[in-house]
Amino acid sequence: MTQYKVPVLPGDGIGPEIIAEGRKVIDAAGERFGFDVEWIDYPHGADHYLATGELISEETLKELSGYPAIYLGSIGDPRIAPGILEKGILLTARFYFDQYVNLRPIKLLEGVLTPIKDKTSKDIDFVVVRENTEDFYVGVGGRAKKGESKNLLEVKRVLYSAKFGLDIETDSEEIGYQIGLISKEGTKRVIEYAFDLAEKRKKHVSSVDKANVLSDIYGFWREEFNAVSAKHPDVTTDFNFVDAMTMWFVKNPEWFDVVVTPNMFGDIITDLGAMIQGGLGLAPGGNINPNGTSMFEPIHGSAPKYKGQNKVNPIATIWAGAMLIEQLGEKEAADTIVNAIQKNILDGKVKTYDMGGKSTTSDVGDDIARIIKGE
Ligand code: IPM
Ligand code: MN
């Protein structure tokens, strides 16, 4: 029997409940397909931080880097200021493991209601490849108040007077700034990933940017896109400004096959993508380093108000678990999990409140595990 070791970080809020169902389903798939997963628990998240002051240590990250795939629940807790846990654990992990692809399938399963009138599962079936380590997520920024940083305020004064002829009293100002940055290598590799994926699908790649305004950063993105595109003459392409993209996702989702996007726009449009595929409870994602340690999680957050109620939909996390075992090489088991999710939905008897049902989180996990085992 094949043995896998998978680190698991259930995290905060509903994380432990949904991860329990994901593990249950993968274990069921293991029984059927002849593999066994040893789950290695990690406590990182709000409770651990409040008890020890530690977010996630270099030592733990190093240890985790010995595994090909990590299973993550959700990170974020109202007791702690926004950004501390998200940046200190989730983004730290994405960066440390150089998980440069955030792969987010937007697929409307049969029997799921989409808020878009007249669209069916034939129309909504694409994949967003979100760049995951650069752009406005690089963490370069700062604040300056009166008297704190003359230099920064001086920069602002020069810019303002050059552009608008305004004379600004430097030390009466307060500013915040954040810089977006993309590199040639970082852009090329994620766009190459998108084209390679499109070669195995419907051979179409759509680029997202805002090159009409943020022309330095996203003009560069387009150049790299065109360079990669030239190496794939059989793959058709289109360019979309991000604001227009939100319109096309709703109006013509059937146009898309693979969508490749810079990090921050990818964050925004994949929440929209999750809604058109039936809601955040159904949207999985993978943070991928094709040659290193990947990490699989639902797109949704920790939903603290539902914590401990056994109420939320575990399907996004179960689906992310399917992506995880596919990454480990268990393609057939992964497909079987997605098919079992599909069957659970079509049966329509065991579903959580968000899908109009009354079943619990664990009922749904049990049902999907039962389908997989063929009981
Ligand atoms: C996501 C989340 C994260 C992001 C946050 C929690 C840091 O919104 O995975 O989409 O912005 O990437
Ligand atoms: Mn997000």
Side-chain angles (χ1 to χ4, degrees):
M1 190 182 285
T2 318
Q3 294 280 343
Y4 298 108
K5 286 187 178 170
V6 179
V8 47
L9 284 80
D12 302 319
I14 57 170
E17 299 158 51
I18 53 181
I19 277 287
E21 301 318 306
R23 284 173 52 160
K24 183 187 286 174
V25 168
I26 291 178
D27 288 340
E31 268 181 46
R32 175 160 160 199
F33 291 95
F35 63 85
D36 182 63
V37 177
E38 182 188 329
W39 301 100
I40 305 161
D41 273 294
Y42 285 81
H44 300 82
D47 289 340
H48 182 73
Y49 176 64
L50 290 172
T52 66
E54 181 194 81
L55 289 160
I56 191 162
S57 67
E58 175 104 35
E59 202 188 333
T60 303
L61 291 164
K62 205 169 259 159
E63 188 179 298
L64 288 169
S65 68
Y67 301 95
I70 300 168
Y71 203 16
L72 179 76
S74 47
I75 298 290
D77 185 292
R79 291 171 293 173
I80 297 159
I84 307 273
L85 299 170
E86 294 86 342
K87 288 199 282 184
I89 300 174
L90 180 61
L91 296 185
T92 296
R94 288 180 184 168
F95 280 54
Y96 185 87
F97 302 119
D98 198 22
Q99 294 161 341
Y100 63 88
V101 172
N102 194 326
L103 192 65
R104 296 185 158 180
I106 307 296
K107 185 176 164 72
L108 176 67
L109 295 177
E110 275 175 65
V112 175
L113 289 175
T114 173
I116 309 182
K117 191 168 148 280
D118 298 336
K119 297 293 177 191
T120 69
S121 51
K122 283 184 204 67
D123 302 305
I124 301 174
D125 183 4
F126 60 95
V127 183
V128 176
V129 173
R130 168 186 173 192
E131 199 288 319
N132 211 27
T133 58
E134 301 196 327
D135 199 42
F136 287 92
Y137 278 68
V138 292
V140 180
R143 299 279 303 262
K145 287 188 206 156
K146 185 173 178 173
E148 267 185 9
S149 170
K150 270 276 186 205
N151 286 349
L152 224 55
L153 295 172
E154 183 62 16
V155 170
K156 188 188 172 203
R157 193 187 65 74
V158 170
L159 281 175
Y160 267 58
S161 58
K163 273 198 162 164
F164 311 116
L166 296 176
D167 193 14
I168 286 174
E169 185 57 54
T170 55
D171 52 351
S172 68
E173 290 290 298
E174 180 169 356
I175 62 169
Y177 74 102
Q178 196 101 36
I179 292 184
L181 178 161
I182 65 171
S183 67
K184 189 175 178 78
E185 193 46 44
T187 304
K188 183 170 168 255
R189 63 184 183 175
V190 74
I191 294 174
E192 275 174 349
Y193 186 97
F195 275 85
D196 289 344
L197 186 61
E199 293 279 9
K200 294 180 220 140
R201 293 179 49 103
K202 286 180 263 162
K203 297 187 192 288
H204 187 74
V205 181
S206 305
S207 173
V208 181
D209 63 50
K210 187 73 187 173
N212 51 345
V213 178
L214 305 171
S215 42
D216 289 315
I217 181 166
Y218 301 127
F220 186 27
W221 171 274
R222 279 201 181 197
E223 274 171 36
E224 291 309 309
F225 185 95
N226 281 326
V228 176
S229 170
K231 290 186 274 174
H232 295 263
D234 52 330
V235 176
T236 54
T237 59
D238 56 57
F239 290 99
N240 306 270
F241 298 134
V242 63
D243 47 348
M245 201 57 165
T246 63
M247 174 176 78
W248 301 134
F249 267 25
V250 172
K251 190 168 180 292
N252 295 102
E254 68 279 2
W255 284 352
F256 300 112
D257 179 27
V258 176
V259 174
V260 66
T261 168
N263 204 345
M264 195 173 74
F265 298 151
D267 179 42
I268 297 166
I269 65 175
T270 52
D271 268 25
L272 176 59
M275 289 323 285
I276 72 172
Q277 76 183 112
L280 280 166
L282 292 159
N287 304 279
I288 314 262
N289 177 336
N291 310 305
T293 299
S294 298
M295 184 167 75
F296 297 84
E297 55 170 336
I299 291 185
H300 64 68
S302 59
K305 71 175 178 186
Y306 293 121
K307 177 182 178 170
Q309 295 176 23
N310 199 17
K311 179 173 177 176
V312 297
N313 194 341
I315 288 180
T317 308
I318 294 171
W319 195 341
M323 294 171 74
L324 184 153
I325 61 166
E326 180 164 353
Q327 181 80 9
L328 295 178
E330 299 288 344
K331 168 91 173 113
E332 200 187 350
D335 290 346
T336 301
I337 292 178
V338 178
N339 289 338
I341 294 171
Q342 176 65 84
K343 190 159 188 307
N344 157 272
I345 291 169
L346 284 177
D347 287 350
K349 292 190 205 86
V350 185
K351 54 189 177 188
T352 45
Y353 79 97
D354 56 306
M355 299 185 73
K358 290 201 168 74
S359 305
T360 64
T361 307
S362 44
D363 288 339
V364 173
D366 286 342
D367 191 54
I368 294 171
R370 180 190 58 78
I371 295 167
I372 289 168
K373 288 193 275 186
E375 283 164 12

